[in-house]
Amino acid sequence: MCLGIPGKIVEIDNASGITMGVVDFGGVRREVCLEYIADQVDIGDYAVIHVGFAISKVDEEEAKKAFEILQQMSELEELQWGSGEVP
Amino acid sequence: MRYLSEYRDPKVARALVDEIAQTATRRWTLMEVCGGQTHTIVRQGLDEVLSSSVEMIHGPGCPVCVTPLEQIDRALHLASRPDVIFASFGDMLRVPGSECDLLQVRARGGTVKVVYSPLDALELARRTPNKEVVFFAVGFETTAPANAMAVWRAKELGVENFSVLVSHVTVPPAIVALLESPDNRVQAFLAAGHVCTVMGWEEYEPLAAKYAVPIVVTGFEPVDILEGILMAVRQLEEGRHEVENQYVRSVRHEGNRPAQDVIGRVFQLVDRQWRGIGMIPMSGLGLKPEFADFDAELKFGLGGITAIEPPECRAGDVLRGRLKPHDCPEFGVRCTPENPLGAPMVSSEGACAAYYNYGRYDPATADREA
Ligand code: SF4
């Protein structure tokens, strides 16, 4: 829950009063809150997400590299939380 | 791209290791604060490669490890109540309380749900109005913006069956507590890059000045950590004590201001117990009085639940850097990741689990210090 996982923003939705969106993490998609970086990002940008919240924007190559390292370290389990696989 | 070519290249790591060895005229003692950094250091054996130049002490930066036993016991109590759905991040489920853990409470019929985001817990409360949903709000400054937003939204939307069991901790007071301890051996800190992505590093500047201790904001990848160590060793050799930022690609001096704003609207500084370490004044975040309706401790009257740490677990000595995990008599004997006796054995970011998972349990090959 501390390291944050980078992913690609594929949807942005302002309907609820705060900026939400969908982020793709190497094929796994999760709904996330984009409110804290709302003025910096567009669809197609990459961001580091902590427990469903985008905290910083990153560039694509940095995102891919960090994702790979987290994968090697088995630090991606968080993406399964609440998805049915880990009930 | 500068980093892609450089950071994937083991030659860069080698060159940094050599440069650290050449720069250090003596052996310095450094602490990495963040559990993610501990994981990388032990996994890659960076501490062993560098052992003639630096000793790495593994700090208290794993929220799973420092969440106090009594908060775990309160979580277990809530999760056992038939009227409560207890929602938590997945890594808190196996943390041992005084008698059992959340998984065991679930097996006995308690309702424990793993959520990805605290907003998912809030949504669960809106969908289940006939139950009380309590979310276990744990973590450092990295999860505080998320947990603060969930409470803020709950108030905004008037969700009355939602509350949070708060056990937030913050890094700077822990650094102060370590530095003020009479047997402190830490000479420089690697600060946690992701914490500083949220908070920036302004609050570390007075600490570096007052305690004359170098603090280097550092990422979690192997080459980040080597670079952070080199920057800290250079400062020590030159007699400087500043805050420097190794993790420039993520961290700005002021951090993420909108996130800090929401944290500041919902939380205030409170005294907090750290598991294994004890009370550190003004080291935690608790709900402001305006959000008292969302405080599970008040809502369910949990103040009476207190707990005493099992004496066999030496986590306090491990988290303060007085004992290496494999020197704990229970390490790998009664305490393993499958059956953890103490919290640092639960998460891959806890020092004991990192040592166990990466084979530091054979005394013949283990890195025995001092
Ligand atoms: S090895 Fe187990 S019992 Fe020993 S300090 Fe670590 S968590 Fe506690």
Side-chain angles (χ1 to χ4, degrees), chain B residues 83-226:
Chain B
D83 55 337
V84 166
I85 299 176
F86 193 80
S88 168
F89 296 137
D91 35 20
M92 301 307 291
L93 264 56
R94 295 185 57 252
V95 182
S98 293
E99 262 147 37
C100 61
D101 60 29
L102 283 167
L103 272 183
Q104 286 162 315
V105 169
R106 179 156 76 183
R108 290 177 206 158
T111 309
V112 179
K113 292 256 190 241
V114 173
V115 292
Y116 169 59
S117 160
L119 290 180
D120 297 342
L122 180 59
E123 189 49 36
L124 185 64
R126 295 177 76 188
R127 285 202 320 266
T128 5
N130 58 335
K131 292 268 186 185
E132 284 289 334
V133 172
V134 184
F135 176 68
F136 202 2
V138 298
F140 280 91
E141 293 93 325
T142 45
T143 56
N147 295 341
M149 181 67 88
V151 176
W152 179 260
R153 288 288 283 173
K155 185 162 184 169
E156 210 170 49
L157 301 168
V159 187
E160 287 175 6
N161 62 328
F162 178 77
S163 58
V164 286
L165 178 62
V166 184
S167 196
H168 265 291
V169 278
T170 59
V171 171
I175 290 184
V176 170
L178 287 159
L179 287 168
E180 299 231 322
S181 143
D183 54 359
N184 170 55
R185 296 196 296 124
V186 181
Q187 293 165 304
F189 287 90
L190 304 185
H194 287 88
V195 165
C196 295
T197 304
V198 176
M199 300 306 291
W201 70 83
E202 276 163 347
E203 52 187 344
Y204 294 87
E205 286 166 340
L207 303 187
K210 178 174 176 194
Y211 296 97
V213 64
I215 301 177
V216 181
V217 178
T218 304
F220 73 95
E221 296 169 27
V223 172
D224 289 331
I225 290 170
L226 289 171

Side-chain angles (χ1 to χ4, degrees), chain B residues 312-315 318 323 325 328-332 335 341-345 352:
Chain B
E312 343 48 298
C313 176
R314 304 277 306 272
V318 170
L323 184 80
C328 166
E330 305 295 348
F331 179 89
C335 184
L341 202 61
M345 194 53 104
C352 298

Side-chain angles (χ1 to χ4, degrees), chain B residues 9-327:
Chain B
D9 190 345
K11 277 191 201 142
V12 176
R14 190 70 252 167
L16 283 166
V17 168
D18 291 345
E19 199 165 345
I20 292 165
Q22 280 160 20
T23 307
T25 59
R26 47 158 290 182
R27 192 172 191 237
W28 297 100
T29 303
L30 273 57
M31 174 177 277
E32 85 280 2
V33 171
C34 155
Q37 293 169 337
T38 302
H39 186 173
T40 302
I41 287 168
V42 180
R43 179 177 191 269
Q44 305 285 344
L46 299 182
D47 52 337
E48 294 178 320
V49 173
L50 296 172
S51 64
S52 56
S53 323
V54 292
E55 177 189 352
M56 296 308 297
I57 295 183
H58 313 302
C62 163
V64 175
C65 307
V66 300
T67 299
L69 186 57
E70 60 190 28
Q71 282 312 70
I72 303 290
D73 283 354
R74 287 170 184 169
L76 298 171
H77 170 85
L78 288 170
S80 315
R81 286 176 63 123
D83 55 337
V84 166
I85 299 176
F86 193 80
S88 168
F89 296 137
D91 35 20
M92 301 307 291
L93 264 56
R94 295 185 57 252
V95 182
S98 293
E99 262 147 37
C100 61
D101 60 29
L102 283 167
L103 272 183
Q104 286 162 315
V105 169
R106 179 156 76 183
R108 290 177 206 158
T111 309
V112 179
K113 292 256 190 241
V114 173
V115 292
Y116 169 59
S117 160
L119 290 180
D120 297 342
L122 180 59
E123 189 49 36
L124 185 64
R126 295 177 76 188
R127 285 202 320 266
T128 5
N130 58 335
K131 292 268 186 185
E132 284 289 334
V133 172
V134 184
F135 176 68
F136 202 2
V138 298
F140 280 91
E141 293 93 325
T142 45
T143 56
N147 295 341
M149 181 67 88
V151 176
W152 179 260
R153 288 288 283 173
K155 185 162 184 169
E156 210 170 49
L157 301 168
V159 187
E160 287 175 6
N161 62 328
F162 178 77
S163 58
V164 286
L165 178 62
V166 184
S167 196
H168 265 291
V169 278
T170 59
V171 171
I175 290 184
V176 170
L178 287 159
L179 287 168
E180 299 231 322
S181 143
D183 54 359
N184 170 55
R185 296 196 296 124
V186 181
Q187 293 165 304
F189 287 90
L190 304 185
H194 287 88
V195 165
C196 295
T197 304
V198 176
M199 300 306 291
W201 70 83
E202 276 163 347
E203 52 187 344
Y204 294 87
E205 286 166 340
L207 303 187
K210 178 174 176 194
Y211 296 97
V213 64
I215 301 177
V216 181
V217 178
T218 304
F220 73 95
E221 296 169 27
V223 172
D224 289 331
I225 290 170
L226 289 171
E227 211 169 68
I229 292 172
L230 177 60
M231 289 165 80
V233 168
R234 277 199 183 124
Q235 286 203 45
L236 288 164
E237 290 287 342
E238 291 165 16
R240 287 184 293 126
H241 40 83
E242 295 158 16
V243 182
E244 290 182 307
N245 181 20
Q246 180 278 327
Y247 205 32
V248 278
R249 60 193 197 280
S250 176
V251 180
R252 282 191 234 113
H253 184 246
E254 73 280 7
N256 183 323
R257 290 279 193 221
Q260 292 166 26
D261 281 351
V262 176
I263 294 173
R265 273 186 259 163
V266 173
F267 290 129
Q268 62 188 13
L269 285 174
V270 294
D271 294 345
R272 179 72 71 207
Q273 292 278 346
W274 293 54
R275 189 167 195 173
I277 294 179
M279 209 275 284
I280 303 180
M282 293 293 154
S283 65
L285 297 174
L287 291 173
K288 284 191 159 172
E290 305 92 281
F291 295 92
D293 290 350
F294 300 94
D295 188 336
E297 283 180 53
L298 300 173
K299 195 173 202 174
F300 298 96
L302 303 178
I305 299 180
T306 54
I308 297 165
E309 299 273 0
E312 343 48 298
C313 176
R314 304 277 306 272
D317 291 330
V318 170
L319 296 176
R320 287 197 198 85
R322 293 182 192 144
L323 184 80
K324 293 286 171 189
H326 54 243
D327 291 329

Side-chain angles (χ1 to χ4, degrees), chain A residues 7-77:
Chain A
K8 182 181 186 173
I9 299 167
V10 293
E11 271 174 47
I12 296 180
D13 172 13
N14 288 306
S16 66
I18 53 171
T19 306
M20 299 294 291
V22 174
V23 168
D24 183 299
F25 303 91
V28 178
R29 291 187 173 205
R30 304 283 330 218
E31 190 184 25
V32 307
C33 176
L34 300 171
E35 181 72 12
Y36 293 135
I37 57 166
D39 55 350
Q40 305 169 36
V41 290
D42 259 313
I43 289 177
D45 286 342
Y46 286 76
V48 176
I49 318 293
H50 290 262
V51 291
F53 281 70
I55 297 296
S56 58
K57 188 181 166 180
V58 286
D59 66 53
E60 181 174 351
E61 291 188 59
E62 166 64 17
K64 289 187 170 156
K65 176 181 62 80
F67 188 83
E68 231 172 73
I69 289 176
L70 289 167
Q71 204 161 28
Q72 285 165 13
M73 288 171 66
S74 318
E75 289 273 2
L76 296 179
E77 194 194 328

